[in-house]
mmCIF file with all atom_site columns, all heavy atoms in Angstrom:
data_model
loop_
_atom_site.group_PDB
_atom_site.id
_atom_site.type_symbol
_atom_site.label_atom_id
_atom_site.label_alt_id
_atom_site.label_comp_id
_atom_site.label_asym_id
_atom_site.label_entity_id
_atom_site.label_seq_id
_atom_site.pdbx_PDB_ins_code
_atom_site.Cartn_x
_atom_site.Cartn_y
_atom_site.Cartn_z
_atom_site.occupancy
_atom_site.B_iso_or_equiv
_atom_site.pdbx_formal_charge
_atom_site.auth_seq_id
_atom_site.auth_comp_id
_atom_site.auth_asym_id
_atom_site.auth_atom_id
_atom_site.pdbx_PDB_model_num
ATOM 1   N N   . HIS A 1 113 ? 10.828 13.735 -11.120 1.00 72.00 ? 113 HIS A N   1
ATOM 2   C CA  . HIS A 1 113 ? 10.451 12.469 -10.501 1.00 72.00 ? 113 HIS A CA  1
ATOM 3   C C   . HIS A 1 113 ? 10.610 11.290 -11.453 1.00 72.00 ? 113 HIS A C   1
ATOM 4   O O   . HIS A 1 113 ? 10.833 10.163 -11.021 1.00 72.00 ? 113 HIS A O   1
ATOM 5   C CB  . HIS A 1 113 ? 9.008  12.537 -9.979  1.00 72.00 ? 113 HIS A CB  1
ATOM 6   C CG  . HIS A 1 113 ? 7.990  12.743 -11.050 1.00 72.00 ? 113 HIS A CG  1
ATOM 7   N ND1 . HIS A 1 113 ? 7.714  13.971 -11.592 1.00 72.00 ? 113 HIS A ND1 1
ATOM 8   C CD2 . HIS A 1 113 ? 7.189  11.857 -11.687 1.00 72.00 ? 113 HIS A CD2 1
ATOM 9   C CE1 . HIS A 1 113 ? 6.780  13.848 -12.509 1.00 72.00 ? 113 HIS A CE1 1
ATOM 10  N NE2 . HIS A 1 113 ? 6.438  12.579 -12.593 1.00 72.00 ? 113 HIS A NE2 1
ATOM 11  N N   . ARG A 1 114 ? 10.533 11.551 -12.735 1.00 76.00 ? 114 ARG A N   1
ATOM 12  C CA  . ARG A 1 114 ? 10.727 10.457 -13.698 1.00 76.00 ? 114 ARG A CA  1
ATOM 13  C C   . ARG A 1 114 ? 12.173 9.973  -13.705 1.00 76.00 ? 114 ARG A C   1
ATOM 14  O O   . ARG A 1 114 ? 12.441 8.777  -13.833 1.00 76.00 ? 114 ARG A O   1
ATOM 15  C CB  . ARG A 1 114 ? 10.291 10.905 -15.083 1.00 76.00 ? 114 ARG A CB  1
ATOM 16  C CG  . ARG A 1 114 ? 8.782  11.158 -15.152 1.00 76.00 ? 114 ARG A CG  1
ATOM 17  C CD  . ARG A 1 114 ? 8.409  11.861 -16.400 1.00 76.00 ? 114 ARG A CD  1
ATOM 18  N NE  . ARG A 1 114 ? 8.995  13.208 -16.335 1.00 76.00 ? 114 ARG A NE  1
ATOM 19  C CZ  . ARG A 1 114 ? 8.546  14.254 -16.996 1.00 76.00 ? 114 ARG A CZ  1
ATOM 20  N NH1 . ARG A 1 114 ? 7.522  14.133 -17.805 1.00 76.00 ? 114 ARG A NH1 1
ATOM 21  N NH2 . ARG A 1 114 ? 9.108  15.433 -16.867 1.00 76.00 ? 114 ARG A NH2 1
ATOM 22  N N   . ALA A 1 115 ? 13.112 10.888 -13.542 1.00 81.00 ? 115 ALA A N   1
ATOM 23  C CA  . ALA A 1 115 ? 14.525 10.499 -13.455 1.00 81.00 ? 115 ALA A CA  1
ATOM 24  C C   . ALA A 1 115 ? 14.772 9.687  -12.192 1.00 81.00 ? 115 ALA A C   1
ATOM 25  O O   . ALA A 1 115 ? 15.504 8.688  -12.214 1.00 81.00 ? 115 ALA A O   1
ATOM 26  C CB  . ALA A 1 115 ? 15.419 11.733 -13.485 1.00 81.00 ? 115 ALA A CB  1
ATOM 27  N N   . HIS A 1 116 ? 14.148 10.086 -11.084 1.00 84.00 ? 116 HIS A N   1
ATOM 28  C CA  . HIS A 1 116 ? 14.289 9.328  -9.837  1.00 84.00 ? 116 HIS A CA  1
ATOM 29  C C   . HIS A 1 116 ? 13.737 7.911  -10.011 1.00 84.00 ? 116 HIS A C   1
ATOM 30  O O   . HIS A 1 116 ? 14.355 6.946  -9.548  1.00 84.00 ? 116 HIS A O   1
ATOM 31  C CB  . HIS A 1 116 ? 13.525 10.022 -8.711  1.00 84.00 ? 116 HIS A CB  1
ATOM 32  C CG  . HIS A 1 116 ? 14.071 11.367 -8.358  1.00 84.00 ? 116 HIS A CG  1
ATOM 33  N ND1 . HIS A 1 116 ? 13.389 12.238 -7.575  1.00 84.00 ? 116 HIS A ND1 1
ATOM 34  C CD2 . HIS A 1 116 ? 15.211 11.997 -8.687  1.00 84.00 ? 116 HIS A CD2 1
ATOM 35  C CE1 . HIS A 1 116 ? 14.091 13.345 -7.419  1.00 84.00 ? 116 HIS A CE1 1
ATOM 36  N NE2 . HIS A 1 116 ? 15.197 13.221 -8.105  1.00 84.00 ? 116 HIS A NE2 1
ATOM 37  N N   . ALA A 1 117 ? 12.592 7.791  -10.671 1.00 86.00 ? 117 ALA A N   1
ATOM 38  C CA  . ALA A 1 117 ? 11.995 6.477  -10.898 1.00 86.00 ? 117 ALA A CA  1
ATOM 39  C C   . ALA A 1 117 ? 12.890 5.611  -11.774 1.00 86.00 ? 117 ALA A C   1
ATOM 40  O O   . ALA A 1 117 ? 13.050 4.411  -11.522 1.00 86.00 ? 117 ALA A O   1
ATOM 41  C CB  . ALA A 1 117 ? 10.616 6.630  -11.523 1.00 86.00 ? 117 ALA A CB  1
ATOM 42  N N   . ALA A 1 118 ? 13.486 6.206  -12.804 1.00 89.00 ? 118 ALA A N   1
ATOM 43  C CA  . ALA A 1 118 ? 14.370 5.450  -13.696 1.00 89.00 ? 118 ALA A CA  1
ATOM 44  C C   . ALA A 1 118 ? 15.611 4.962  -12.948 1.00 89.00 ? 118 ALA A C   1
ATOM 45  O O   . ALA A 1 118 ? 16.036 3.808  -13.115 1.00 89.00 ? 118 ALA A O   1
ATOM 46  C CB  . ALA A 1 118 ? 14.761 6.308  -14.893 1.00 89.00 ? 118 ALA A CB  1
ATOM 47  N N   . VAL A 1 119 ? 16.193 5.802  -12.117 1.00 92.00 ? 119 VAL A N   1
ATOM 48  C CA  . VAL A 1 119 ? 17.368 5.410  -11.339 1.00 92.00 ? 119 VAL A CA  1
ATOM 49  C C   . VAL A 1 119 ? 16.993 4.304  -10.350 1.00 92.00 ? 119 VAL A C   1
ATOM 50  O O   . VAL A 1 119 ? 17.724 3.319  -10.197 1.00 92.00 ? 119 VAL A O   1
ATOM 51  C CB  . VAL A 1 119 ? 17.980 6.631  -10.618 1.00 92.00 ? 119 VAL A CB  1
ATOM 52  C CG1 . VAL A 1 119 ? 19.016 6.212  -9.596  1.00 92.00 ? 119 VAL A CG1 1
ATOM 53  C CG2 . VAL A 1 119 ? 18.583 7.592  -11.621 1.00 92.00 ? 119 VAL A CG2 1
ATOM 54  N N   . LEU A 1 120 ? 15.863 4.449  -9.685  1.00 92.00 ? 120 LEU A N   1
ATOM 55  C CA  . LEU A 1 120 ? 15.414 3.433  -8.734  1.00 92.00 ? 120 LEU A CA  1
ATOM 56  C C   . LEU A 1 120 ? 15.160 2.099  -9.430  1.00 92.00 ? 120 LEU A C   1
ATOM 57  O O   . LEU A 1 120 ? 15.548 1.040  -8.927  1.00 92.00 ? 120 LEU A O   1
ATOM 58  C CB  . LEU A 1 120 ? 14.146 3.902  -8.030  1.00 92.00 ? 120 LEU A CB  1
ATOM 59  C CG  . LEU A 1 120 ? 13.594 2.998  -6.949  1.00 92.00 ? 120 LEU A CG  1
ATOM 60  C CD1 . LEU A 1 120 ? 14.600 2.831  -5.820  1.00 92.00 ? 120 LEU A CD1 1
ATOM 61  C CD2 . LEU A 1 120 ? 12.296 3.554  -6.414  1.00 92.00 ? 120 LEU A CD2 1
ATOM 62  N N   . LEU A 1 121 ? 14.557 2.140  -10.605 1.00 94.00 ? 121 LEU A N   1
ATOM 63  C CA  . LEU A 1 121 ? 14.317 0.918  -11.370 1.00 94.00 ? 121 LEU A CA  1
ATOM 64  C C   . LEU A 1 121 ? 15.634 0.265  -11.787 1.00 94.00 ? 121 LEU A C   1
ATOM 65  O O   . LEU A 1 121 ? 15.794 -0.956 -11.687 1.00 94.00 ? 121 LEU A O   1
ATOM 66  C CB  . LEU A 1 121 ? 13.462 1.231  -12.599 1.00 94.00 ? 121 LEU A CB  1
ATOM 67  C CG  . LEU A 1 121 ? 13.078 0.047  -13.470 1.00 94.00 ? 121 LEU A CG  1
ATOM 68  C CD1 . LEU A 1 121 ? 12.211 -0.927 -12.682 1.00 94.00 ? 121 LEU A CD1 1
ATOM 69  C CD2 . LEU A 1 121 ? 12.339 0.531  -14.700 1.00 94.00 ? 121 LEU A CD2 1
ATOM 70  N N   . ALA A 1 122 ? 16.585 1.059  -12.238 1.00 95.00 ? 122 ALA A N   1
ATOM 71  C CA  . ALA A 1 122 ? 17.889 0.522  -12.649 1.00 95.00 ? 122 ALA A CA  1
ATOM 72  C C   . ALA A 1 122 ? 18.631 -0.097 -11.462 1.00 95.00 ? 122 ALA A C   1
ATOM 73  O O   . ALA A 1 122 ? 19.223 -1.178 -11.588 1.00 95.00 ? 122 ALA A O   1
ATOM 74  C CB  . ALA A 1 122 ? 18.726 1.621  -13.297 1.00 95.00 ? 122 ALA A CB  1
ATOM 75  N N   . LEU A 1 123 ? 18.603 0.564  -10.321 1.00 94.00 ? 123 LEU A N   1
ATOM 76  C CA  . LEU A 1 123 ? 19.266 0.017  -9.135  1.00 94.00 ? 123 LEU A CA  1
ATOM 77  C C   . LEU A 1 123 ? 18.590 -1.270 -8.661  1.00 94.00 ? 123 LEU A C   1
ATOM 78  O O   . LEU A 1 123 ? 19.277 -2.220 -8.276  1.00 94.00 ? 123 LEU A O   1
ATOM 79  C CB  . LEU A 1 123 ? 19.284 1.055  -8.014  1.00 94.00 ? 123 LEU A CB  1
ATOM 80  C CG  . LEU A 1 123 ? 20.197 2.260  -8.233  1.00 94.00 ? 123 LEU A CG  1
ATOM 81  C CD1 . LEU A 1 123 ? 19.987 3.286  -7.129  1.00 94.00 ? 123 LEU A CD1 1
ATOM 82  C CD2 . LEU A 1 123 ? 21.649 1.827  -8.305  1.00 94.00 ? 123 LEU A CD2 1
ATOM 83  N N   . SER A 1 124 ? 17.269 -1.302 -8.701  1.00 93.00 ? 124 SER A N   1
ATOM 84  C CA  . SER A 1 124 ? 16.549 -2.517 -8.311  1.00 93.00 ? 124 SER A CA  1
ATOM 85  C C   . SER A 1 124 ? 16.880 -3.667 -9.247  1.00 93.00 ? 124 SER A C   1
ATOM 86  O O   . SER A 1 124 ? 17.095 -4.799 -8.804  1.00 93.00 ? 124 SER A O   1
ATOM 87  C CB  . SER A 1 124 ? 15.045 -2.265 -8.313  1.00 93.00 ? 124 SER A CB  1
ATOM 88  O OG  . SER A 1 124 ? 14.710 -1.283 -7.376  1.00 93.00 ? 124 SER A OG  1
ATOM 89  N N   . ALA A 1 125 ? 16.935 -3.391 -10.540 1.00 93.00 ? 125 ALA A N   1
ATOM 90  C CA  . ALA A 1 125 ? 17.297 -4.425 -11.513 1.00 93.00 ? 125 ALA A CA  1
ATOM 91  C C   . ALA A 1 125 ? 18.718 -4.914 -11.275 1.00 93.00 ? 125 ALA A C   1
ATOM 92  O O   . ALA A 1 125 ? 18.991 -6.120 -11.376 1.00 93.00 ? 125 ALA A O   1
ATOM 93  C CB  . ALA A 1 125 ? 17.137 -3.884 -12.932 1.00 93.00 ? 125 ALA A CB  1
ATOM 94  N N   . ALA A 1 126 ? 19.633 -4.007 -10.946 1.00 94.00 ? 126 ALA A N   1
ATOM 95  C CA  . ALA A 1 126 ? 21.015 -4.403 -10.690 1.00 94.00 ? 126 ALA A CA  1
ATOM 96  C C   . ALA A 1 126 ? 21.111 -5.300 -9.468  1.00 94.00 ? 126 ALA A C   1
ATOM 97  O O   . ALA A 1 126 ? 21.862 -6.283 -9.459  1.00 94.00 ? 126 ALA A O   1
ATOM 98  C CB  . ALA A 1 126 ? 21.891 -3.154 -10.492 1.00 94.00 ? 126 ALA A CB  1
ATOM 99  N N   . ILE A 1 127 ? 20.328 -5.005 -8.438  1.00 91.00 ? 127 ILE A N   1
ATOM 100 C CA  . ILE A 1 127 ? 20.331 -5.848 -7.236  1.00 91.00 ? 127 ILE A CA  1
ATOM 101 C C   . ILE A 1 127 ? 19.771 -7.228 -7.531  1.00 91.00 ? 127 ILE A C   1
ATOM 102 O O   . ILE A 1 127 ? 20.330 -8.250 -7.117  1.00 91.00 ? 127 ILE A O   1
ATOM 103 C CB  . ILE A 1 127 ? 19.554 -5.161 -6.094  1.00 91.00 ? 127 ILE A CB  1
ATOM 104 C CG1 . ILE A 1 127 ? 20.336 -3.956 -5.583  1.00 91.00 ? 127 ILE A CG1 1
ATOM 105 C CG2 . ILE A 1 127 ? 19.267 -6.131 -4.962  1.00 91.00 ? 127 ILE A CG2 1
ATOM 106 C CD1 . ILE A 1 127 ? 19.567 -3.082 -4.612  1.00 91.00 ? 127 ILE A CD1 1
#
Side-chain angles (χ1 to χ4, degrees):
H113 63 279
R114 294 168 293 204
H116 295 167
V119 169
L120 184 61
L121 182 63
L123 290 173
S124 298
I127 290 171

